Amino acid sequence: SDADADAFLQTFYSKHSGAFWSEAYANEVYENLPNNEARQIVVWNPGCGKGYETYSISILCVHADADGKSTDNVIIHKFAPLFKELETRNPQTYCKNIVPVIPITMMESWMLADKNLFKETIDANDFDNKTLGIEKFPESYSDPKAIIEKAIRIANAEKTKRKRKSMGISELYNYLGKNISLEALRKLP
């Protein structure tokens, strides 16, 4: 029965089951975490009672590209309206602790971390890196998105219409994200 299940699960609940962690409890948990240079922690959640812990969000990181040298525009036009709207929302239902993540430079350089995979994906194995404009270290490009789009155009220019892949940068995210090796990504800063 539900009552039996609740009685059994009662012993597994944390002292903050059904509520957000207090700052004191969060600090207590943090102090007990192992020293981890990778800054990643794998958490196994064997069960969560009524599900509050699994579906609670205490901090929400929201990504929005600056598309320029300044973050002012994205703060004014994207985050300010978000914060204003959240003021009207119930804190028990909506996470109000928003962390804006606004990269100033383009993030697509990771797509060039494995140049052979990139060339294979855009069907450009017959081209050398210099011809495609991808000979430099990925993080050295100030606008890697433009470099990637140019490489796709160069690769397609040599092909007949029938053999061209109708591919833009948006089609690369999923495939490259699933297939790029962690070893290649570790070489990036």
Side-chain angles (χ1 to χ4, degrees):
S1 77
D2 286 348
D4 291 338
D6 280 341
F8 174 75
L9 291 172
Q10 192 68 39
T11 60
F12 295 99
Y13 293 157
S14 75
K15 51 183 158 176
H16 286 279
S17 288
F20 288 122
W21 287 3
S22 68
E23 187 172 343
Y25 185 63
N27 287 334
E28 182 183 328
V29 170
Y30 178 78
E31 288 170 10
N32 285 297
L33 294 175
N35 185 8
N36 186 344
E37 288 183 25
R39 292 197 239 158
Q40 295 178 1
I41 299 170
V42 177
V43 177
W44 177 60
N45 186 354
C48 55
K50 296 182 180 182
Y52 297 119
E53 294 87 352
T54 300
Y55 297 104
S56 294
I57 300 174
S58 57
I59 296 176
L60 182 62
C61 296
V62 178
H63 174 273
D65 286 335
D67 293 329
K69 300 272 185 220
S70 169
T71 61
D72 295 345
N73 196 37
V74 74
I75 289 171
I76 292 167
H77 296 289
K78 293 183 180 176
F79 286 103
L82 171 64
F83 291 128
K84 187 175 182 178
E85 178 64 26
L86 285 174
E87 288 174 10
T88 68
R89 302 298 178 133
N90 180 345
Q92 295 300 318
T93 309
Y94 290 88
C95 175
K96 293 189 175 193
N97 297 318
I98 306 297
V99 176
V101 178
I102 309 169
I104 301 296
T105 57
M106 303 284 181
M107 305 271 302
E108 285 82 3
S109 60
W110 67 269
M111 291 182 174
L112 297 172
D114 183 340
K115 291 180 181 163
N116 290 329
L117 177 64
F118 173 75
K119 290 184 342 185
E120 177 186 316
T121 306
I122 66 168
D123 196 23
N125 286 325
D126 296 338
F127 293 85
D128 63 35
N129 293 349
K130 187 169 181 130
T131 301
L132 291 172
I134 61 169
E135 73 278 10
K136 296 194 284 184
F137 184 68
E139 292 287 319
S140 67
Y141 297 108
S142 62
D143 188 353
K145 191 174 191 176
I147 297 297
I148 292 166
E149 289 170 340
K150 182 178 178 186
I152 293 170
R153 280 194 305 278
I154 291 168
N156 281 333
E158 302 279 322
K159 298 181 181 107
T160 62
K161 277 189 176 183
R162 187 178 216 172
K163 291 195 173 190
R164 277 185 204 151
K165 280 188 170 183
S166 64
M167 176 183 293
I169 194 167
S170 60
E171 287 80 23
L172 297 177
Y173 289 104
N174 192 31
Y175 183 80
L176 288 173
K178 287 180 180 178
N179 292 288
I180 197 162
S181 74
L182 292 176
E183 186 61 36
L185 293 174
R186 282 189 190 101
K187 294 176 184 174
L188 299 175

